[in-house]
Structures are given as C-alpha cells and as structure tokens.
Amino acid sequence: MDNFLAYPLQDLPYVIVTLLIAFTIHELAHAWVALLFGDDTAKNEGRITLNPLKHIDPIGFIFVIIAGFGWAKPTPVNAYKMKHRRVGSVLVSLAGPVSNLLLAFIGVGLYFLFLQMDVAYSQIILPFFNLFVSLNVILFIFNLLPLPPLDGYQIVSEFLPLKWRLKVQGYENYALLFFLILVITPLSKYTISPIFNTLIPWITGEMASFYYFVFQI
C-alpha cells in the first residue's frame, strides 16, 4: 500500500490532520486579508470560516496523499474591489504562505514545549508536530514559487508592467503544464527539489534555534 502513497501508512493520520489545518488556515488568511482591503467576495461565499469543508478540494486533498502535492479550493478574490489594489493583491497572495510559516513556527514551539514536559503519549505527539512543521514549511515555500497557479506567481505578476503581464497571461495554460512537468517528473530532482532541500532545513533550523534559546532562558 505504501508504494501508492506519498507518505508512509502510519503517518497518514498526521498528514490528514495537518492538511486540514494548513489548507484551512491558508485559504482563510487569503479571504481575511482580502476583506481587510475591501474585497468581500470570499466573505460572501462563506470562506471566512474555520470549517475545513469550505476550503478543502477533495481531489486536491487526495493528490497530496498520493502524489505529494495538491491544492485546496482557491479563494475567490476581486482585486478591483480593493482599496490600494496592487498592495492589496500582493498582501492577499502573501497571506496564505505566511500563515503556513506561522503555523510551522507555532508547531516548533509546541514541539519544544511537549519535549520539555515529557508528557504521556509523546511518541504520538512529537512525530505529529515534526510532520506538521515540515508540511507547513513545504507549503510556505511551494506556494511562493513564481509559477501559475501559485501565490508566488500572483505576487510577481503584480510587479510586471501591464504590457508584460498581459503577454504572460497568454501563456498561463502552458506555464501550468510546465509547472506539472517540473513537479511530477524526474526533472524535479534538478529544479524544485534542491530549493526544498536547502530551504526546509534552514527555516526549521532557525525556528528551532529560536525556541532552544527561549527554553534555555
């Protein structure tokens, strides 16, 4: 069975719980920041909620478990409703990945806390937070890649001159195919994987150093 899954079978409960939290907070962050800038589109569709059912795309969820990458329901955003449209668009796009980074930061803190407390069931709690942190850092990095349909692409496109932006939009469908090739083919070993292999240990290491210092005080 493990051969058909991106994660070991024993880790699936941790993965499922983590994804429910991470996807929900990610999309909620998009919706909430959009509302702060005057766009109530997501609010009107009931997306400012902690209910995972409003944010989870079943197919995208299953893809994460099987293929190691997937997606939630995109948060509807109408940039033309926003005050300060360009700034608003950038911050709305950043909100999702940043929320995953914050979740990872909280997860590292809880890991250290439970490690210090030596609580019962630590053999369940500590592996959960270890995976929770890793997946949220992955989502943070992954979503900032400047490729459609990721948040990083939305951020970069806001800084392009209008002429270039319109030209790039004409190639978005091809860019999506290019993105899938990078993710699901052996090319990922030479393109995306080095990014993750470098940034994940560095980010989690910096977070761990912070909490190590805090708990030593």
Side-chain angles (χ1 to χ4, degrees):
M1 182 69 173
D2 279 4
N3 293 334
F4 297 98
L5 301 174
Y7 301 93
L9 200 58
Q10 67 269 20
D11 288 345
L12 275 188
Y14 303 151
V15 173
I16 290 170
V17 172
T18 295
L19 291 178
L20 288 173
I21 296 170
F23 280 176
T24 297
I25 297 300
H26 181 108
E27 298 302 331
L28 172 59
H30 283 316
W32 181 67
V33 174
L35 185 62
L36 288 180
F37 279 88
D39 176 20
D40 60 357
T41 308
K43 178 189 176 185
N44 293 338
E45 293 193 17
R47 298 296 297 274
I48 299 186
T49 176
L50 287 171
N51 179 2
L53 297 178
K54 290 288 187 177
H55 303 289
I56 300 299
D57 182 305
I59 296 175
F61 196 85
I62 292 169
F63 254 76
V64 177
I65 293 171
I66 295 175
F69 79 96
W71 56 89
K73 292 178 184 175
T75 299
V77 175
N78 185 348
Y80 293 99
K81 282 188 173 184
M82 293 182 188
K83 300 168 286 187
H84 314 296
R85 189 197 66 78
R86 177 167 289 185
V87 174
S89 294
V90 170
L91 292 180
V92 168
S93 296
L94 272 174
V98 169
S99 73
N100 292 124
L101 186 65
L102 289 174
L103 284 174
F105 184 73
I106 293 168
V108 173
L110 291 173
Y111 181 93
F112 269 81
L113 181 63
F114 284 115
L115 196 62
Q116 294 282 329
M117 293 170 61
D118 193 27
V119 296
Y121 306 111
S122 60
Q123 71 275 17
I124 296 174
I125 295 170
L126 295 181
F128 166 72
F129 280 114
N130 189 43
L131 191 141
F132 180 87
V133 170
S134 296
L135 278 179
N136 272 288
V137 172
I138 288 171
L139 286 171
F140 167 71
I141 299 168
F142 185 74
N143 278 286
L144 286 179
L145 295 174
L147 294 169
L150 302 176
D151 297 318
Y153 169 74
Q154 303 300 328
I155 295 167
V156 169
S157 66
E158 286 296 333
F159 293 97
L160 294 175
L162 180 60
K163 183 173 70 174
W164 290 13
R165 197 183 315 163
L166 293 173
K167 189 172 290 188
V168 169
Q169 285 174 355
Y171 293 98
E172 281 184 4
N173 291 334
Y174 301 105
L176 181 57
L177 177 61
F178 176 68
F179 164 74
L180 291 174
I181 291 171
L182 288 181
V183 172
I184 65 178
T185 69
L187 278 176
S188 64
K189 294 179 181 178
Y190 308 100
T191 54
I192 292 177
S193 292
I195 296 173
F196 285 97
N197 293 340
T198 301
L199 290 181
I200 292 172
W202 179 72
I203 292 172
T204 54
E206 289 299 310
M207 290 179 177
S209 296
F210 171 81
Y211 281 109
Y212 182 77
F213 174 76
V214 168
F215 281 100
Q216 289 296 107
I217 295 177

